[in-house]
Amino acid sequence: MSDNRQSLADLAGLTNTPAPVAQVETDTLPTQDAAPLNNSGPVPEPMPLREQILDKQGRAYATGRRKDAVARVWIKPGSGKITINGRDQEVYFARPTLRLVINQVFGVTEREGQYDVNCTVKGGGLSGQAGAVKHGISQAITKFEPILRAPVKAAGFLTRDSRTVERKKYGRAKARRSFQFSKR
């Protein structure tokens, strides 16, 4: 195809006429400002925002779950202090990775240091509890500011992580591990 264009350009040079340009039918290609082809009815309006849900103290409440851990979370506007079971987050979650998990929600919504979080969490281990607190903060922040639901949902923080420990089966050492095989 490229040699064909070259020959047309050479022909234009010989005859002192402009080279022909390939014409593309513009009516068959969709354009950005063109209306959709099926005009079956009016354009639906975007989803209305949910209502802000607060308690009498002006806090938003939500429950978060992960593995066997359950976290009850209350958030309110403040200085960014996070209290878990009456202790500061640096004391309760000593590992920095667990604190990063909790603060992911505020990073996605760009609300670092704007909300005070008070939560009680029980059950499971530290990793499960950190995931439960993150899930609860995500749910509570969308109840406090419904406009933040889209970025939090896009990050996947509103979905409860359903992965739990698989049960042990009889005749096995663990859920899938067999006992050591003895030939004799």
Side-chain angles (χ1 to χ4, degrees):
M1 185 156 207
S2 63
D3 57 347
N4 186 18
R5 289 184 186 159
Q6 188 175 8
S7 65
L8 289 175
D10 291 341
L11 180 67
L14 291 174
T15 59
N16 294 329
T17 59
V21 178
Q23 295 291 328
V24 178
E25 294 182 31
T26 56
D27 56 349
T28 59
L29 297 174
T31 58
Q32 293 287 340
D33 38 303
L37 295 177
N38 62 350
N39 293 333
S40 58
V43 178
E45 294 183 20
M47 290 279 298
L49 284 178
R50 297 169 182 239
E51 285 186 27
Q52 185 183 40
I53 303 170
L54 302 177
D55 62 3
K56 293 176 184 174
Q57 286 86 23
R59 305 174 300 181
Y61 168 78
T63 305
R65 290 185 175 86
R66 169 86 168 94
K67 293 186 179 179
D68 276 342
V70 179
R72 301 184 307 153
V73 179
W74 292 268
I75 66 165
K76 62 180 179 180
S79 60
K81 184 179 178 189
I82 299 177
T83 308
I84 300 149
N85 289 350
R87 290 187 271 175
D88 197 32
Q89 70 167 341
E90 283 83 14
V91 176
Y92 195 83
F93 293 121
R95 278 187 271 164
T97 54
L98 298 178
R99 291 196 299 270
L100 283 173
V101 166
I102 292 174
N103 292 315
Q104 275 182 331
V105 183
F106 297 118
V108 167
T109 57
E110 299 171 359
R111 298 287 192 271
E112 293 97 344
Q114 296 183 18
Y115 288 103
D116 286 342
V117 178
N118 187 15
C119 67
T120 60
V121 60
K122 59 184 176 183
L126 287 177
S127 176
Q129 287 184 351
V133 171
K134 177 178 94 166
H135 186 229
I137 290 173
S138 306
Q139 299 276 1
I141 204 165
T142 56
K143 289 181 180 178
F144 200 91
E145 284 189 71
I147 194 122
L148 295 178
R149 184 173 171 84
V152 173
K153 190 171 177 70
F157 296 154
L158 292 179
T159 306
R160 194 250 199 248
D161 192 352
S162 61
R163 296 176 295 169
T164 57
V165 178
E166 190 176 345
R167 69 167 288 254
K168 182 196 178 305
K169 279 76 169 188
Y170 54 85
R172 301 231 167 208
K174 294 177 10 180
R176 299 189 181 193
R177 167 109 166 79
S178 300
F179 293 114
Q180 184 172 354
F181 176 71
S182 176
K183 193 168 185 180
R184 291 182 183 84

